[in-house]
Amino acid sequence: MKHALNVTREKDFAAWYQAVIAEADLAEDSGVRGCMVMRPWGYGIWERIQRLLDDRIRAAGYDNCYFPLFIPLSYFEKEAEHVEGFAKEMAVVTHHRLVGDGKGGLMPDPAAKLEEPLVVRPTSETVIGTAFSRWVQSWRDLPVQINQWANIVRWEMRTRMFLRTAEFLWQEGHAAYASAEQAREETLKALEMYRSFAEDCVALPVIAGEKPENERFPGAVATYSIEAMMQDGKALQAGTSHFLGTNFASAQNIRFQNSQGEQELANTISWGMSTRMIGGLIMVHGDDDGLRVPPRVAPWQVVIVPMLRETDEDAAILDYCRSLAGELTALSAFGEPVRALVDTKATKASAKRWGWVKKGAPVIVEVGPRDVASGNVAVLRRDRLYGEGGKLATGFLPRGEFVGQVAGLIEEIQAALHGEARARLEANIDRGVSDFAGLEAFFSEKAQFPGWVEVQWSRPTGAALDGVVERLKALKLTIRNTPMDAAAVDGTCIFTGEPAVERILIGRSY
Amino acid sequence: MKHALNVTREKDFAAWYQAVIAEADLAEDSGVRGCMVMRPWGYGIWERIQRLLDDRIRAAGYDNCYFPLFIPLSYFEKEAEHVEGFAKEMAVVTHHRLVGDGKGGLMPDPAAKLEEPLVVRPTSETVIGTAFSRWVQSWRDLPVQINQWANIVRWEMRTRMFLRTAEFLWQEGHAAYASAEQAREETLKALEMYRSFAEDCVALPVIAGEKPENERFPGAVATYSIEAMMQDGKALQAGTSHFLGTNFASAQNIRFQNSQGEQELANTISWGMSTRMIGGLIMVHGDDDGLRVPPRVAPWQVVIVPMLRETDEDAAILDYCRSLAGELTALSAFGEPVRALVDTKATKASAKRWGWVKKGAPVIVEVGPRDVASGNVAVLRRDRLYGEGGKLATGFLPRGEFVGQVAGLIEEIQAALHGEARARLEANIDRGVSDFAGLEAFFSEKAQFPGWVEVQWSRPTGAALDGVVERLKALKLTIRNTPMDAAAVDGTCIFTGEPAVERILIGRSY
């Protein structure tokens, strides 16, 4: 069977991923090392993610703010463990002016060297914590809960669009509480917000759990993540939430007077989700014809393609399409107006249809002169593109019937994409491995689509954990997280043979 | 009469401006040179501006994208005139890693020096034009119309919150067209979008017109602006739109094959509006009690303050306030749901009331136990705070009556703020100056609140214009713009004595 992309997932998953990004006009290389250009369809998906996640962040009682892009070097020096974790990969501003280099080019002006270099934010705990130390004086000032939508720079050596870029976009939530208990609880609330957002909005089935000690955010007491399974069986960490205890508060002097008049350190938390989510969306929902965008995050849910032929009939076709779009946008799906577009570009209708298939618009409607005459529409569901015999499963139905069904159809497509991905996730977590030899055998046998294993362990720490990490690394594996809802333990640790204390997920990862 | 701020506009306008920013919790110094922290109320106003302007940008047929923060030095070297205009004030990234300095601190790693320094974008014509050169091949690819919401860095020596900061937030529209005529027309459409947005949404009366040659954007053929009059009589440029001709297209090789098969250079335009708009909003609408936010851009339009006393009555008061807020948010003003907040913070009601007065919430409602018993509300309009005798003009009315009136009230406050500012602008443009001596006399007599003059000139260029600029500079004056809707000329140039060709606005500026 022929497909719209010239590479399949099975043949070369990495090449397929790049092909989807290019063919769906999601993003492209910018010419600036490690930075991409997010094109309208890719950025439109990000705007939908922003809108839906932002609503949840506000509902959780967070206020949006904006903090500086630049962080003075000295801010990092205060938090030793934190900087250790990030020091390898930061962009540093050292000059504030350019001058001619005398050879017709430009160079940083040696006379304009900054006294203190500025780091382009790799995350904002240090600069936001400094603000918290000004804002928090008394227990009455707590909690402080703020969020920012911002660009972030981490100087990655090997970059990959959406998954790992030098500059990326994200939101970062930061909060300070009076007690460690409350801060831990709120860390988990943020995790649950991410889990339900990923499942409900991005149709991305995820496992929420705690990261092992060696995968903690630099300076954190505990890090939690949501992990999604890609179609190559690898894991993608799609959002993290960190309990920072008093580590950052101590370095940044976030203190408050409690109701007994005593000075205490606040407990802080932070959590972030980024444009990486779009990489996950591609690798979970894409197929050999391109992307399939879950309707809730699709910039356009219904795209209407008029079949124009530069004849006198064109005007009537366009009228028909525009009035149809008007009817659709007056409807609601998921509590929002339906997003419908008439694609009037000066391109052949079949090219437009395949363009929207590759972009993954959930519903594609084609309108030709005969449809106008008969009052019909030709409807293509992106999630079920082909019927029997490999032909496009275009449905022909009266316009009124389509309009009556479309909101339900949009909700059905969202559920279908989620159901498909959820079934794949559940079918590919193996719980039968009970010793390290079993683990080795499992992953050597299932090289193509390994999936994950859930095993029991004794949660070793320090050097013992380092040993475990090394053994896994030799198999190209990592511990993903300790699922929140895992079953109780009933066996021994696959690494140490000691009695197990919890279950962990192990897999290959992005 | 006593006011909520401890400095008045009349006494010290600059100190008053800083006081409003601090007391209204709009922004604060970040500790990072030239960068501010935008706090929730200030950032909330920006989010409202974004939402309303973004709707207009989309309606104009622009798509949102995202381009890299970093621009390689070589991109600037291509556009000589452009870099000349910006070269003085750019942040330059030279290293991509930090290392320990051997003294317990950190420093840029000498082994991680970038081969080509990266400039933090001071505007994105160069990097976006490079993308356009990839996207545009044929006349069928035109027009290309994109917009981005982004942070921008210009290394300003003297900074002032919202008006001139090293980092600021903005949107930048960029488009390429086949013909110069169309590009010029679209430049003016963007200008008109800014004008109507400023007037309708921010209640900011502005004069739209063309900037003189010496004030053009570096590399532009023509620059247009909207100019607003602050309450100290100075002018603030609140948005600009640039016709770039083929200057950037030539440097960046944006070429297309026309319908005759010939290669042509595209004509490009760009236009931007920034967080500076909030500085204008403050200086146009603020008063001696703080800010007054026009309802369309107010994060909360109605703030309900429950008068809690830690007694048994509190629960009933909170219920009453919450159900009132529920009724209000079900209403619409300006085609959007009314934004109503119940302020439940653990602070005294009078402190909360004055806090919201200083923040400038359009309508403040207070609810005490007696209001609950009688089914009333106490309503304060922020734009008409005081009644006769200087007392707060609180209106007491039945809850149902208030709910019935509130949408109209919100629209009335928007119109009142606009009307007040419009009257001030119109009253303070003097059209009676007909020679340079008259100009000198005008501005020496009116040192406190100079306002602007509209005069006739012969539009000198080159060295003659430089002379004019110098003469004005000695009076601390600049040419603001040539208003689009100025009357026809009927006299001589106040600088050259030659026959006038157009009218220009002259004033002091921010």
Side-chain angles (χ1 to χ4, degrees):
Chain A
M1 195 166 137
K2 210 171 152 356
H3 286 284
L5 302 184
N6 56 19
V7 54
T8 63
R9 288 162 291 176
E10 199 178 334
K11 196 172 176 204
D12 185 340
F13 196 79
W16 167 85
Y17 177 74
Q18 295 300 333
V20 174
I21 290 172
E23 295 291 317
D25 281 345
L26 295 170
E28 65 185 20
D29 269 331
S30 65
V32 183
R33 198 198 148 289
C35 298
M36 63 181 180
V37 173
M38 289 182 73
R39 302 193 62 181
W41 189 247
Y43 192 72
I45 293 171
W46 179 241
E47 289 183 301
R48 288 294 309 157
I49 289 173
Q50 284 190 297
R51 181 70 61 100
L52 294 169
L53 185 57
D54 196 62
D55 287 347
R56 285 164 169 75
I57 293 170
R58 283 170 201 271
Y62 279 69
D63 286 317
N64 283 346
C65 290
Y66 187 76
F67 290 85
L69 172 68
F70 297 134
I71 302 178
L73 207 53
S74 57
Y75 284 37
F76 285 93
E77 290 169 346
K78 287 186 201 163
E79 228 296 291
E81 195 180 338
H82 182 60
V83 75
E84 181 60 31
F86 276 102
K88 297 183 191 70
E89 38 174 345
M90 295 196 262
V92 191
V93 175
T94 54
H95 293 74
H96 64 80
R97 193 185 304 137
L98 295 175
V99 286
D101 63 1
K103 292 173 274 183
L106 293 164
M107 62 176 198
D109 185 348
K113 196 172 169 188
L114 296 175
E115 276 187 39
E116 181 178 5
L118 296 172
V119 173
V120 182
R121 62 183 161 213
T123 181
S124 303
E125 276 74 11
T126 55
V127 70
I128 293 179
T130 304
F132 280 10
S133 74
R134 296 191 298 267
W135 298 352
V136 174
Q137 305 297 329
S138 137
W139 63 273
R140 287 173 197 274
D141 301 324
L142 293 171
V144 176
Q145 301 188 130
I146 67 94
N147 177 64
Q148 93 171 346
W149 291 95
N151 52 346
I152 290 293
V153 173
R154 296 179 186 170
W155 206 264
E156 304 284 353
M157 280 302 124
R158 286 187 306 178
T159 62
R160 216 159 163 193
M161 276 197 259
F162 291 111
L163 298 177
R164 190 171 284 108
T165 46
E167 182 190 14
F168 60 89
L169 304 182
W170 82 351
Q171 64 62 224
E172 46 183 322
H174 296 266
Y177 301 94
S179 75
E181 293 66 40
Q182 196 186 355
R184 258 188 203 279
E185 200 175 289
E186 297 289 339
T187 308
L188 293 176
K189 270 194 205 167
L191 181 72
E192 168 55 21
M193 182 173 74
Y194 281 159
R195 191 202 61 75
S196 64
F197 170 77
E199 301 258 354
D200 299 346
C201 297
V202 193
L204 211 70
V206 293
I207 305 283
E210 186 177 350
K211 299 296 276 188
E213 186 185 303
N214 62 301
E215 299 266 6
R216 275 181 203 143
F217 176 72
V221 175
T223 286
Y224 301 85
S225 72
I226 54 170
E227 303 280 333
M229 187 184 285
M230 306 297 105
Q231 287 184 69
D232 62 352
K234 288 192 191 170
L236 184 79
Q237 177 178 299
T240 49
S241 183
H242 314 290
F243 170 56
L244 307 173
T246 57
N247 291 351
F248 280 81
S250 163
Q252 290 149 1
N253 202 29
I254 311 174
R255 277 166 214 276
F256 65 98
Q257 194 170 49
N258 67 21
S259 54
Q260 280 80 49
E262 296 151 355
Q263 288 288 318
E264 276 190 54
L265 281 172
N267 279 264
T268 63
I269 75 171
S270 66
W271 37 277
M273 185 178 275
S274 75
T275 38
R276 183 166 228 231
M277 177 57 89
I278 296 174
L281 189 159
I282 297 166
M283 290 194 286
V284 167
H285 297 304
D287 67 15
D288 296 339
D289 293 296
L291 187 56
R292 300 185 300 173
V293 188
R296 291 195 78 170
V297 293
W300 302 112
Q301 295 167 320
V302 182
V303 175
I304 304 168
V305 177
M307 303 173 75
L308 305 176
R309 292 155 195 218
E310 302 192 11
T311 69
D312 293 348
E313 289 171 322
D314 284 4
I317 296 174
L318 275 173
D319 280 353
Y320 187 90
C321 291
R322 288 193 175 122
S323 80
L324 176 61
E327 281 183 76
L328 298 180
T329 54
L331 300 170
S332 284
F334 296 106
E336 293 184 276
V338 168
R339 294 182 292 281
L341 172 80
V342 180
D343 182 354
T344 57
K345 266 216 194 96
T347 320
K348 270 172 63 182
S350 63
K352 286 199 265 195
R353 180 216 295 149
W354 284 106
W356 289 109
V357 164
K358 288 188 278 185
K359 282 189 162 74
V363 180
I364 301 164
V365 175
E366 289 177 279
V367 174
R370 266 181 287 175
D371 300 305
V372 175
S374 61
N376 287 334
V377 289
V379 179
L380 205 50
R381 261 180 81 154
R382 178 60 183 90
D383 65 320
R384 298 187 189 163
L385 208 52
Y386 299 102
E388 282 176 39
K391 283 206 164 177
L392 279 183
T394 308
F396 299 90
L397 68 171
R399 168 179 171 158
E401 202 175 302
F402 171 68
V403 172
Q405 292 174 357
V406 74
L409 179 63
I410 287 169
E411 298 187 0
E412 194 182 315
I413 293 172
Q414 180 86 21
L417 288 172
H418 183 255
E420 188 182 321
R422 165 58 66 188
R424 184 167 53 236
L425 173 67
E426 282 170 9
N428 290 291
I429 299 179
D430 188 286
R431 293 188 171 83
V433 170
S434 58
D435 54 28
F436 194 80
L439 188 81
E440 282 181 302
F442 181 91
F443 283 100
S444 63
E445 281 159 21
K446 300 188 77 175
Q448 185 71 14
F449 187 99
W452 308 343
V453 296
E454 188 187 88
V455 298
Q456 304 191 40
W457 80 332
S458 58
R459 198 172 184 156
T461 59
L465 175 59
D466 293 345
V468 165
V469 170
E470 282 307 309
R471 286 167 77 186
L472 289 173
K473 199 177 171 184
L475 300 172
K476 295 183 183 167
L477 295 172
T478 52
I479 301 171
R480 303 316 305 155
N481 67 23
T482 301
M484 308 297 285
D485 58 359
V489 288
D490 59 5
T492 54
C493 174
I494 68 158
F495 304 108
T496 64
E498 291 167 20
V501 299
E502 62 186 18
R503 293 175 192 265
I504 53 173
L505 283 177
I506 293 175
R508 305 229 155 99
S509 82
Y510 277 94
Chain B
M1 195 165 136
K2 209 172 155 345
H3 286 283
L5 301 183
N6 57 17
V7 55
T8 63
R9 289 162 289 176
E10 199 178 335
K11 197 172 175 203
D12 186 340
F13 196 79
W16 167 84
Y17 177 73
Q18 295 300 334
V20 174
I21 290 171
E23 296 290 319
D25 281 344
L26 295 170
E28 65 184 20
D29 269 331
S30 66
V32 183
R33 197 197 150 287
C35 297
M36 63 181 178
V37 174
M38 288 182 75
R39 301 194 62 182
W41 189 248
Y43 192 71
I45 293 170
W46 180 242
E47 289 183 301
R48 287 294 309 156
I49 288 173
Q50 284 189 297
R51 181 71 62 100
L52 294 168
L53 185 57
D54 196 61
D55 287 346
R56 285 165 171 73
I57 293 170
R58 284 171 201 270
Y62 279 71
D63 286 318
N64 283 345
C65 292
Y66 187 76
F67 291 85
L69 171 69
F70 297 134
I71 302 178
L73 206 55
S74 58
Y75 284 37
F76 286 94
E77 290 169 344
K78 286 186 201 161
E79 227 299 288
E81 195 179 340
H82 182 61
V83 75
E84 181 61 30
F86 277 101
K88 296 182 190 72
E89 37 172 346
M90 294 197 261
V92 191
V93 175
T94 54
H95 294 73
H96 65 79
R97 194 186 303 136
L98 296 175
V99 285
D101 62 1
K103 293 173 275 183
L106 293 164
M107 63 178 200
D109 185 349
K113 196 172 168 184
L114 296 174
E115 275 185 41
E116 181 178 4
L118 296 172
V119 173
V120 182
R121 62 183 160 214
T123 182
S124 303
E125 277 73 10
T126 54
V127 70
I128 292 180
T130 304
F132 280 10
S133 74
R134 295 191 298 268
W135 299 351
V136 174
Q137 305 296 331
S138 137
W139 64 273
R140 287 174 196 273
D141 301 323
L142 293 171
V144 176
Q145 302 188 130
I146 67 95
N147 176 63
Q148 93 171 346
W149 292 93
N151 53 346
I152 289 293
V153 173
R154 297 178 185 173
W155 206 264
E156 303 286 354
M157 281 301 126
R158 287 186 307 177
T159 62
R160 216 158 165 194
M161 277 196 258
F162 291 110
L163 298 176
R164 190 171 285 109
T165 46
E167 182 190 12
F168 60 87
L169 304 181
W170 81 352
Q171 62 64 224
E172 47 184 321
H174 296 266
Y177 301 94
S179 75
E181 294 65 39
Q182 196 186 356
R184 256 187 204 281
E185 200 176 288
E186 297 288 339
T187 308
L188 293 176
K189 271 194 205 166
L191 181 72
E192 168 56 21
M193 182 173 73
Y194 282 159
R195 191 202 62 74
S196 64
F197 170 77
E199 300 258 355
D200 299 346
C201 297
V202 193
L204 211 71
V206 293
I207 306 282
E210 186 177 352
K211 299 296 276 187
E213 183 185 305
N214 61 302
E215 300 267 5
R216 273 181 206 145
F217 176 73
V221 175
T223 286
Y224 301 84
S225 72
I226 54 170
E227 304 280 334
M229 187 184 285
M230 306 297 105
Q231 287 185 67
D232 61 353
K234 288 191 190 170
L236 184 78
Q237 178 177 297
T240 49
S241 183
H242 315 289
F243 170 57
L244 308 173
T246 56
N247 291 350
F248 280 80
S250 163
Q252 290 148 2
N253 201 30
I254 311 173
R255 278 168 212 276
F256 65 98
Q257 193 170 48
N258 67 22
S259 52
Q260 281 80 51
E262 296 150 356
Q263 288 288 315
E264 276 190 55
L265 281 172
N267 279 264
T268 63
I269 75 171
S270 66
W271 36 278
M273 185 179 276
S274 75
T275 38
R276 182 165 228 230
M277 177 57 88
I278 297 175
L281 189 161
I282 297 167
M283 291 194 284
V284 168
H285 297 304
D287 67 16
D288 295 339
D289 293 296
L291 187 55
R292 300 184 300 174
V293 189
R296 291 195 78 171
V297 294
W300 301 111
Q301 295 167 321
V302 182
V303 175
I304 304 168
V305 177
M307 303 173 76
L308 305 176
R309 292 156 194 213
E310 302 192 12
T311 68
D312 293 349
E313 290 172 322
D314 284 5
I317 296 174
L318 276 173
D319 281 353
Y320 187 91
C321 290
R322 288 193 175 123
S323 79
L324 175 61
E327 281 183 74
L328 298 179
T329 52
L331 300 169
S332 284
F334 295 108
E336 293 185 276
V338 168
R339 295 182 291 282
L341 172 79
V342 180
D343 181 354
T344 57
K345 267 218 193 96
T347 320
K348 271 172 61 182
S350 63
K352 285 199 265 195
R353 179 215 295 147
W354 284 106
W356 288 109
V357 164
K358 288 188 279 187
K359 282 189 161 76
V363 180
I364 301 165
V365 176
E366 289 177 278
V367 174
R370 265 181 288 179
D371 300 307
V372 174
S374 60
N376 286 334
V377 288
V379 178
L380 205 50
R381 263 180 79 152
R382 178 59 184 89
D383 65 320
R384 296 187 191 163
L385 208 52
Y386 300 103
E388 280 177 39
K391 282 203 163 178
L392 279 184
T394 308
F396 299 90
L397 68 169
R399 170 179 168 157
E401 202 175 302
F402 170 67
V403 172
Q405 292 173 0
V406 74
L409 179 63
I410 286 170
E411 298 186 0
E412 194 182 316
I413 293 172
Q414 180 85 21
L417 288 172
H418 183 255
E420 189 183 320
R422 167 58 63 189
R424 184 168 55 236
L425 173 67
E426 282 171 9
N428 290 290
I429 298 179
D430 188 286
R431 293 186 170 82
V433 170
S434 58
D435 56 30
F436 195 80
L439 188 79
E440 283 181 302
F442 180 91
F443 283 99
S444 65
E445 281 160 22
K446 301 188 78 178
Q448 184 69 14
F449 186 100
W452 308 342
V453 296
E454 187 187 272
V455 298
Q456 304 190 41
W457 81 332
S458 57
R459 197 172 185 157
T461 59
L465 175 58
D466 293 344
V468 166
V469 169
E470 283 305 309
R471 286 166 77 186
L472 290 172
K473 198 176 174 188
L475 301 171
K476 295 182 182 167
L477 295 172
T478 52
I479 301 169
R480 304 316 305 156
N481 68 24
T482 300
M484 307 297 285
D485 58 359
V489 288
D490 58 7
T492 54
C493 174
I494 68 158
F495 304 107
T496 63
E498 291 166 19
V501 299
E502 63 187 17
R503 293 175 192 266
I504 53 174
L505 284 177
I506 293 175
R508 304 226 156 102
S509 82
Y510 277 94

